[in-house]
Amino acid sequence: MIKQAGKSLKSRNQPQVMTFLSANIVALVAAFVGLEALQAFIGAVRAGEWSHVLKIPALIAVGAIATRTISWAIPREWKETLVFWRRGMRSLPSSEAFTVIAPSDLRIDILSLQKRFGQLPTEYQQQSSLWYAIYRKHCKDLVVEDANSAYLLFRELTAIMPVLIIGCLFGALSIQLSLSNSMLAALALGFECFVVMYAARNAGKRLVANVLALEASAEIPKPQQAPAPAKKARKTPVSLSEVQEPVAVETIRSRSAGQSRFNS
């Protein structure tokens, strides 16, 4: 590309992922140390105590690094398995694009898709391959880009939730948090995990459906006709009189010239 490429959807989602992670960490700290200790820390920051103020940029930097590390450390296949609770090719939202998602969406004309691609595939891998080929044609469309951004965001949040739950358990054991508070924190994280997972599922299905709806409603390109062959120039036959006329004229001129020399 000639110009500098813009940020990817994953990079644009990083501030929201970091905010989500930071909010959960603050909530867990409040559950572990108590709300009074957290309020005391906030009061010290407002009072301008530098020993507490300088901790905020450090926490933000640590949160940013942790977010990036978690995002890249967890494989994509694991993230999709966490979202759809399926393994292998079935973990992709596009694996049921033509057998489940398309028939259930009223915006998608199945007959129009069949006119374009013939018999639609039913195997998981073939469905994903065909859907991705269609997605490449519409990936810059606003509705597709919005759905893709939402799916990537909620997929990342779903992948972070097990890390937070494990961190919560280790934190509770290290400070010997009471069982009731530990269970309350675990239940809160579990409910949050269910919400973001369900949001990721819906966003993934919406992404697949939006691509197919755009393709089904687009005009079918007409096949280009081959240019007609150029007609050969037809030669007009020369008549015998046209051939003999110059000869006769030349003969008359020769006789006239001889007669004039004779007379002289």
Side-chain angles (χ1 to χ4, degrees), residues 97-99 102-103 109-123 125-131 134:
F98 302 98
T99 55
D109 188 353
I110 302 295
L111 294 178
S112 176
L113 293 177
Q114 290 176 344
K115 289 180 182 179
R116 296 169 185 269
F117 307 106
Q119 185 65 31
L120 299 177
T122 56
E123 295 293 331
Q125 184 173 2
Q126 294 176 358
Q127 290 188 70
S128 293
S129 299
L130 178 56
W131 178 86
I134 301 173

Side-chain angles (χ1 to χ4, degrees), residues 198-215:
Y198 196 75
R201 287 186 182 183
N202 285 339
K205 294 177 181 178
R206 176 62 61 175
L207 169 63
V208 174
N210 286 348
V211 171
L212 295 181
L214 289 174
E215 181 67 16

Side-chain angles (χ1 to χ4, degrees), residues 50-62:
W50 289 101
S51 60
H52 292 80
V53 173
L54 293 177
K55 292 179 181 180
I56 296 178
L59 291 174
I60 294 175
V62 170

Side-chain angles (χ1 to χ4, degrees), residues 22-75:
S22 302
N24 278 274
I25 291 176
V26 170
L28 289 177
V29 170
F32 290 163
V33 303
L35 187 59
E36 295 181 358
L38 182 62
Q39 290 176 346
F41 176 81
I42 296 175
V45 171
R46 290 180 176 177
E49 296 185 13
W50 289 101
S51 60
H52 292 80
V53 173
L54 293 177
K55 292 179 181 180
I56 296 178
L59 291 174
I60 294 175
V62 170
I65 295 173
T67 301
R68 297 287 292 182
T69 303
I70 294 172
S71 176
W72 287 102
I74 303 176

Side-chain angles (χ1 to χ4, degrees), residues 6-263:
K7 289 185 177 181
S8 64
L9 295 178
K10 190 171 183 178
S11 298
R12 279 184 266 175
N13 286 336
Q14 285 303 310
Q16 301 177 61
V17 175
M18 183 178 168
T19 302
F20 176 83
L21 182 62
S22 302
N24 278 274
I25 291 176
V26 170
L28 289 177
V29 170
F32 290 163
V33 303
L35 187 59
E36 295 181 358
L38 182 62
Q39 290 176 346
F41 176 81
I42 296 175
V45 171
R46 290 180 176 177
E49 296 185 13
W50 289 101
S51 60
H52 292 80
V53 173
L54 293 177
K55 292 179 181 180
I56 296 178
L59 291 174
I60 294 175
V62 170
I65 295 173
T67 301
R68 297 287 292 182
T69 303
I70 294 172
S71 176
W72 287 102
I74 303 176
R76 176 184 58 82
E77 293 80 5
W78 293 13
K79 298 176 183 178
E80 289 163 348
T81 299
L82 288 172
V83 171
F84 292 99
W85 292 1
R86 297 193 295 256
R87 298 180 59 188
M89 187 58 64
R90 289 199 63 198
S91 63
L92 295 174
S94 57
S95 63
E96 297 179 341
F98 302 98
T99 55
V100 177
I101 297 178
S104 62
D105 196 314
L106 298 178
R107 301 174 301 164
I108 301 174
D109 188 353
I110 302 295
L111 294 178
S112 176
L113 293 177
Q114 290 176 344
K115 289 180 182 179
R116 296 169 185 269
F117 307 106
Q119 185 65 31
L120 299 177
T122 56
E123 295 293 331
Y124 299 127
Q125 184 173 2
Q126 294 176 358
Q127 290 188 70
S128 293
S129 299
L130 178 56
W131 178 86
Y132 186 74
I134 301 173
Y135 163 78
R136 294 294 297 172
K137 297 191 295 184
H138 303 284
C139 60
K140 298 299 182 181
D141 196 283
L142 184 59
V143 295
V144 174
E145 190 171 343
D146 286 345
N148 194 12
S149 178
Y151 172 64
L152 294 177
L153 173 62
F154 290 117
R155 190 186 69 179
E156 294 297 321
L157 300 185
T158 305
I160 288 176
M161 292 309 303
V163 179
L164 288 174
I165 293 174
I166 294 173
C168 174
L169 294 177
F170 274 105
L173 292 175
S174 62
I175 65 173
Q176 297 181 352
L177 190 67
S178 63
L179 181 61
S180 59
N181 289 341
S182 300
M183 291 298 296
L184 183 61
L187 288 174
L189 290 176
F191 176 75
E192 189 176 10
C193 180
F194 177 79
V195 171
V196 295
M197 179 199 67
Y198 196 75
R201 287 186 182 183
N202 285 339
K205 294 177 181 178
R206 176 62 61 175
L207 169 63
V208 174
N210 286 348
V211 171
L212 295 181
L214 289 174
E215 181 67 16
S217 61
E219 294 183 359
I220 300 177
K222 296 181 180 179
Q224 296 181 354
Q225 297 180 353
K231 295 182 179 180
K232 295 183 179 180
R234 185 178 179 181
K235 295 182 180 180
T236 305
V238 182
S239 62
L240 184 62
S241 60
E242 292 176 347
V243 177
Q244 293 178 349
E245 182 178 358
V247 177
V249 173
E250 187 65 25
T251 304
I252 295 172
R253 288 179 180 175
S254 302
R255 291 179 179 178
S256 299
Q259 187 67 27
S260 59
R261 287 196 301 269
F262 178 77
N263 293 333

